Amino acid sequence: MGGGESVPRRVTFEADENDNITVVKGIRLSENVIERMKEPSSPGGKTPKKLGSSSHTSIGGVGVNEEELKKRIAEELAFEQARREAEAQKRLKQNPPSVQDEVAKALDRERAASSEHLARAVLRERASAEEERMKSQLLAKQLQEKEKELKKHETYYKEQLNRLEERSSQFYKVTTEQYEKAVNEVKSRFK
């Protein structure tokens, strides 16, 4: 396709947000290659080949071995990952005071949150104790009122009892007098 001139092309990779390489610049891949790259690899580590597919792909008119391309891509990925890890290690070594500052700030926030939580718990406990005190005062007042009311009832019932006893004694007296009178009348008739 491309004649005898093969021009080496520079291949660049870009990373997406998740540090997964997704963009390959400078290479034109056929649909077969893209589909095979999407397929999960088999236990042997190689992707299963479809019938009729070749192991070479045309990239910009130049034949490229797919296995070689995959190896290069894997090497580039590994290199990029190693570079990122080295940068992260370097940043950690350069900025240990900031990490300590972050830890100190986190501890301060945690202390503030726990002291606030403790203060709220103390206020809740005080409010609960005050509520219990008010409740007990109210109940004591209600109890005193109930005792006064019971004393009034007791006095009233004693008075009623005294009146009933007095009436009963008067009724007894009248009845006894009437009985004696009736007995005397009966005696006087039969004499």
Side-chain angles (χ1 to χ4, degrees):
M1 281 211 206
E5 296 178 25
S6 73
V7 178
R9 294 186 181 242
R10 177 112 174 103
V11 178
T12 59
F13 298 90
E14 290 182 357
D16 64 354
E17 304 84 40
N18 300 327
D19 293 332
N20 296 326
I21 303 299
T22 56
V23 180
V24 179
K25 288 189 175 181
I27 297 179
R28 193 173 297 153
L29 301 174
S30 69
E31 290 297 319
N32 285 341
V33 174
I34 292 171
E35 289 300 318
R36 278 186 264 147
M37 290 175 85
K38 288 180 182 177
E39 292 176 4
S41 45
S42 63
K46 295 183 180 178
T47 58
K49 295 186 179 184
K50 295 180 181 176
L51 293 176
S53 67
S54 66
S55 63
H56 284 77
T57 303
S58 175
I59 300 175
V62 177
V64 176
N65 186 346
E66 290 177 19
E67 294 299 321
E68 192 175 305
L69 180 61
K70 287 182 184 178
K71 285 181 186 177
R72 283 159 91 205
I73 290 172
E75 288 172 359
E76 288 285 335
L77 289 172
F79 175 74
E80 184 67 24
Q81 183 68 25
R83 185 183 65 78
R84 289 176 194 265
E85 288 177 5
E87 286 177 4
Q89 289 292 331
K90 186 177 178 183
R91 275 187 301 223
L92 282 176
K93 287 180 182 177
Q94 288 176 351
N95 298 327
S98 67
V99 171
Q100 290 174 349
D101 291 343
E102 290 297 320
V103 170
K105 287 178 184 176
L107 285 174
D108 288 341
R109 284 192 301 266
E110 194 66 32
R111 283 186 195 121
S114 64
S115 65
E116 183 179 330
H117 180 69
L118 181 62
R120 285 182 182 169
V122 167
L123 287 175
R124 274 194 306 265
E125 201 56 40
R126 284 182 183 167
S128 175
E130 182 65 21
E131 184 179 333
E132 286 295 320
R133 187 182 66 78
M134 296 295 283
K135 234 181 201 181
S136 65
Q137 285 179 350
L138 177 66
L139 290 173
K141 188 175 180 180
Q142 287 176 347
L143 181 63
Q144 287 174 351
E145 289 174 3
K146 194 71 167 174
E147 285 178 351
K148 284 180 184 178
E149 189 177 326
L150 286 174
K151 284 182 183 179
K152 285 180 184 177
H153 283 291
E154 184 181 6
T155 306
Y156 173 76
Y157 290 129
K158 281 185 180 179
E159 288 174 2
Q160 291 297 324
L161 182 63
N162 287 336
R163 283 185 192 158
L164 286 174
E165 285 177 350
E166 189 177 313
R167 279 187 185 170
S168 177
S169 67
Q170 287 175 1
F171 182 71
Y172 179 74
K173 202 185 237 185
V174 169
T175 326
T176 307
E177 286 175 5
Q178 287 177 354
Y179 176 76
E180 287 178 10
K181 193 175 181 184
V183 167
N184 288 335
E185 277 182 24
V186 170
K187 282 186 184 179
S188 65
R189 279 191 197 167
F190 290 106
K191 275 194 191 177

